[in-house]
Amino acid sequence: MGFFLDIAWLIPLLPLLACVALTLLPLRGAMAGRLAVSAIAIAAVLALGVIVALAAGDGTAFTRVVRWAPAGAADLLLGYRIDGLAAVMLVMVTLVATAIHVFAIGYMAHDARRVRFFAYTTLFTAAMLAMVMAGNLLLLFIAWEVMGLCSYLLIGFWYDRTYADPNRITPRAAAIKAFMTTRVGDVLLLIGLVYLWLEAGTLEIGAAAGQIFAPQLLERLATSGTAVGMSAATAIALLIFAGTIGKSAQFPLHVWLPDAMEGPTPVSALIHAATMVAAGVFLVARTFPIFAVSDALPVVAAIGAITALGAALVACVQFDIKRILAYSTVSQLGFMVAALGVGGWGAALFHLLTHACFKALLFLGAGSVIHAMEAVVGHDGPAQDIRSMGGLRNAMPRTFAAYLVGALALAGVAPLAGFWSKDEILAEAFAHGNLLIGVMLLAASFLTAFYMTRQVWLVFFGRFRGGASLPHESPATMTVPLIVLAVASVLVGAINLPWWHTLSDFVAAEATSFNLLLAFIATLLALAGIGGGWWLYRSAFADAATTDPLQQAQPRLFALLQQAFAIDALYGWVIGRLFDVVSDLRDRLDRLVIGRGVAGTGSLAGLLGRLTFLFDDAVLNGGGDLVARSTSDAGEELRRSVTGRVQDYLALAIAGLVVLGVVVVYGLRP
């Protein structure tokens, strides 16, 4: 079985080669989709072989490195490292990405740029796989940045789309917003890695001597201080976590993720389930030994809990089917980050895996609904507005059944996967004494069940409100992946049931014991959320009235939540004012300093030009003319003295002798 570990480098290489082929070869659309699916499916088979081979071994990580470049006393290395964490992530990414790409074949069937689409998605997948396998943080960061580029290209894939609604962000603007927002975290992450290199002299992942998790190195990071009074480990951990805040859309850099919904739905599933947002959680899990010896974990837990609860509140009042799921993703990522903050990185990884299954299912299910709605109302119509849907369970039975499974899993209903992973996070929070964090997560769990019930009821129950024609079920290329992911959303929780903790043992993470009382409370809250959502929306939008029941009850709070606590507006105001100030300073600098400097330089150049002209005219030109005229006059006079007469020459000789005699006589006088 070691054969699979030796060729593990093929796992990211296969989708990368598919990207190259899709970019350079004249492939048709159908062939492009099949090539992408084939490459990632083969990578999934290799990933399954890798995890089996690793499980059959003695638990030792498998590494392969090459010397890349010298860097002072050390060398920069590139290579891959396969341990339990990497192996689990490889399987999750490849399997979920395969299902998403199969779905995309049907979803993008009529798009003129679908070959380019599959080129971008395969590169995106290859970058995520390379990041997971990276043997050091340098390669991890390189792959991290490639994912940032791919997210920009995919979110803005429909860059030429505009909308009649002036308040709806365009794909082009959403892509720029995502790229610029995540860059904030990426720059801080880069600073953290540079600081880690300066302190440790290495970025190699592992606990052996000369690697960043070596006990003596971690102890030195924990005890060495910084100029701001914190340890080096704390400073590095916070800088690394800043990268997670950006990539995994945590407060306050979460604002890019809801607008990322303007990309094609398979992109939303890929970003929100298997790749980009999962990268931030994986980063903290990968570097958790540094966090463990730092004082950064309370900050991580607080950010995660605030994000989980705040995003869940905002999701309760959205009307865009994908936007609801986007805020749900932000909230569930908050659960994972909170789990990391309380020390339960195994629970965070467990929820990352289960969430990948049911959130990919929900996004693809939403894509199936949108695909059917666009056939009725067009892409510029209310194709994503849940108020224009209703009654779709009869028109789209396969999509409805799969979507319902995903919604119940997200709500944490037993025995679906979301119940087990979310319960483990709650158990970790209360077991470590983080009562406030635990209560906030329980409140977010209740809200999750509420807003998912609201969405499911308005989309699939009641009467159809989108027009006279009913949407139709999506083709098999779109519904089969939904069924596969629905089965996974039921079964994947078995990988870490509280009685044997298979996943936790495999990745060498500590696991807390099962809390039956807490599980009972969480289940009651989920059922209460489902009941509350049904009771409040059982007859909503049944007539011409379009007011949401929550809006009727709390109009001001509803408006505030619809604006996502006005954080976007605050950023717009602050950044807008900042740009105004910078522009004003630049204008003043241009007019008062640069403009006057240029004008003064021009005046000085003019003066120097005049002086140069006068010198040239009076000295160079005039002096040259005077010498020429003098030479000419002297020559003329000399010419006149040359007469050719002997008498004249004799007279001159006598005159010369007289002058010479006078000089001699006067010169000899005492």
Side-chain angles (χ1 to χ4, degrees):
M1 296 301 292
F3 168 76
F4 286 101
L5 295 172
D6 285 325
I7 64 170
W9 51 272
L10 285 173
I11 296 175
L13 183 62
L14 286 170
L16 179 61
L17 291 176
C19 171
V20 173
L22 290 165
T23 304
L24 300 180
L25 299 180
L27 299 175
R28 296 181 180 271
M31 179 61 71
R34 288 194 288 268
L35 176 61
V37 170
S38 299
I40 299 175
I42 295 172
V45 173
L46 295 178
L48 290 169
V50 164
I51 199 170
V52 171
L54 197 67
D58 58 1
T60 303
F62 182 87
T63 59
R64 286 288 184 269
V65 297
V66 295
R67 182 175 181 267
W68 180 46
D75 290 331
L76 294 177
L77 305 176
L78 289 182
Y80 65 91
R81 174 188 176 87
I82 305 294
D83 56 10
L85 176 60
V88 168
M89 289 293 294
L90 288 175
V91 172
M92 183 274 288
V93 172
T94 52
L95 289 179
V96 175
T98 300
I100 292 172
H101 280 79
V102 171
F103 179 91
I105 292 176
Y107 190 87
M108 303 295 292
H110 303 293
D111 195 290
R113 296 194 295 264
R114 58 190 180 276
V115 176
R116 183 185 304 177
F117 172 83
F118 284 111
Y120 292 163
T121 56
T122 49
L123 179 60
F124 200 1
T125 306
M128 180 65 184
L129 294 170
M131 192 205 77
V132 168
M133 292 177 58
N136 58 50
L137 296 181
L138 173 63
L139 179 57
L140 185 149
F141 184 75
I142 293 172
W144 179 280
E145 288 300 287
V146 173
M147 280 195 296
L149 170 64
C150 292
S151 69
Y152 169 78
L153 296 173
L154 287 167
I155 293 170
F157 184 76
W158 288 324
Y159 57 85
D160 51 352
R161 277 194 177 182
T162 57
Y163 302 110
D165 183 0
N167 296 319
R168 183 175 177 181
I169 191 170
T170 63
R172 178 177 176 272
I176 295 173
K177 181 178 180 180
F179 190 80
M180 297 303 295
T181 304
T182 55
R183 289 289 74 73
V184 176
D186 292 356
V187 170
L188 294 175
L189 170 59
L190 178 59
I191 294 172
L193 296 184
V194 172
Y195 188 20
L196 178 58
W197 170 268
L198 294 175
E199 288 290 326
T202 181
L203 294 176
E204 293 300 306
I205 296 171
Q211 298 175 337
I212 56 176
F213 303 144
Q216 63 274 19
L217 178 56
L218 291 174
E219 183 179 357
R220 180 157 61 84
L221 292 176
T223 55
S224 61
T226 64
V228 293
M230 64 177 65
S231 68
T234 301
I236 292 169
L238 290 175
L239 289 168
I240 291 175
F241 181 59
T244 295
I245 290 177
K247 220 60 156 195
S248 291
Q250 296 297 284
F251 175 83
L253 298 181
H254 63 285
V255 293
W256 68 269
L257 193 58
D259 292 326
M261 298 301 97
E262 294 303 325
T265 297
V267 173
S268 303
L270 201 60
I271 290 177
H272 289 247
T275 56
M276 187 163 168
V277 296
V281 177
F282 172 80
L283 175 64
V284 177
R286 174 56 86 195
T287 57
F288 194 77
I290 299 176
F291 284 81
V293 298
S294 74
D295 297 322
L297 287 179
V299 177
V300 175
I303 292 294
I306 291 171
T307 305
L309 183 57
L313 284 168
V314 174
C316 292
V317 301
Q318 302 301 312
F319 294 116
D320 187 304
I321 186 172
K322 286 173 64 178
R323 205 169 184 86
I324 295 170
L325 298 178
Y327 279 109
S328 169
T329 298
V330 175
S331 179
Q332 297 305 305
L333 289 168
F335 272 86
M336 301 174 208
V337 171
L340 293 168
V342 300
W345 72 268
L349 176 63
F350 185 26
H351 196 55
L352 175 64
L353 299 178
T354 61
H355 177 264
C357 294
F358 57 70
K359 187 53 62 69
L361 166 60
L362 290 171
F363 269 111
L364 296 185
S368 178
V369 171
I370 294 169
H371 184 266
M373 288 290 294
E374 285 182 344
V376 177
V377 299
H379 80 266
D380 200 22
Q384 298 181 196
D385 194 328
I386 59 176
R387 292 170 294 185
S388 299
M389 300 177 188
L392 297 184
R393 73 183 188 280
N394 296 322
M396 309 179 70
R398 293 190 296 276
T399 298
F400 164 67
Y403 202 93
L404 183 62
V405 172
L408 293 174
L410 175 58
V413 175
L416 303 180
F419 167 79
W420 302 109
S421 58
K422 195 174 293 186
D423 178 74
E424 189 164 332
I425 291 176
L426 294 170
E428 289 280 0
F430 284 99
H432 289 87
N434 294 276
L435 300 182
L436 179 59
I437 301 297
V439 170
M440 293 174 71
L441 295 181
L442 282 172
S445 299
F446 166 79
L447 293 172
T448 302
F450 174 83
Y451 66 68
M452 286 309 300
T453 302
R454 171 181 180 263
Q455 185 193 61
V456 169
W457 189 265
L458 293 180
V459 172
F460 293 104
F461 291 87
R463 63 177 181 83
F464 181 63
R465 301 178 292 274
S469 300
L470 278 172
H472 57 79
E473 183 63 274
S474 299
T477 53
M478 297 173 65
T479 56
V480 169
L482 297 182
I483 296 170
V484 172
L485 289 171
V487 173
S489 298
V490 175
L491 301 179
V492 75
I495 65 175
N496 207 45
L497 291 175
W499 300 284
W500 47 76
H501 290 294
T502 305
L503 175 66
S504 298
D505 294 340
F506 185 69
V507 299
E510 294 184 3
T512 189
S513 58
F514 182 65
N515 190 324
L516 182 60
L517 176 61
L518 190 58
F520 179 72
I521 294 173
T523 300
L524 285 181
L525 288 174
L527 294 176
I530 293 172
W534 170 81
W535 181 82
L536 199 60
Y537 287 92
R538 65 191 187 280
S539 59
F541 307 107
D543 51 25
T546 58
T547 304
D548 189 281
L550 287 177
Q551 188 176 10
Q552 292 177 337
Q554 293 290 334
R556 291 184 179 179
L557 178 60
F558 190 90
L560 179 63
L561 293 179
Q562 270 209 318
Q563 298 172 10
F565 298 102
I567 295 176
D568 257 322
L570 176 63
Y571 282 169
W573 183 82
V574 171
I575 295 174
R577 291 294 298 271
L578 178 62
F579 271 102
D580 289 342
V581 171
V582 171
S583 298
D584 183 63
L585 291 176
R586 182 184 178 278
D587 178 65
R588 292 175 182 272
L589 177 67
D590 183 55
R591 289 186 295 104
L592 302 179
V593 179
I594 298 176
R596 290 185 178 181
V598 171
T601 302
S603 300
L604 178 61
L607 177 61
L608 292 176
R610 296 282 298 176
L611 293 175
T612 302
F613 171 76
L614 293 175
F615 178 77
D616 180 67
D617 186 61
V619 178
L620 299 181
N621 290 342
D625 292 346
L626 179 62
V627 171
R629 286 196 301 270
S630 300
T631 303
S632 178
D633 293 344
E636 181 64 25
E637 293 299 324
L638 182 61
R639 185 188 64 78
R640 290 179 181 177
S641 66
V642 182
T643 62
R645 296 172 62 187
V646 175
Q647 298 91 327
D648 293 338
Y649 296 154
L650 184 59
L652 288 173
I654 293 171
L657 289 173
V658 172
V659 172
L660 181 60
V662 173
V663 172
V664 170
V665 171
Y666 277 92
L668 294 176
R669 291 180 64 184

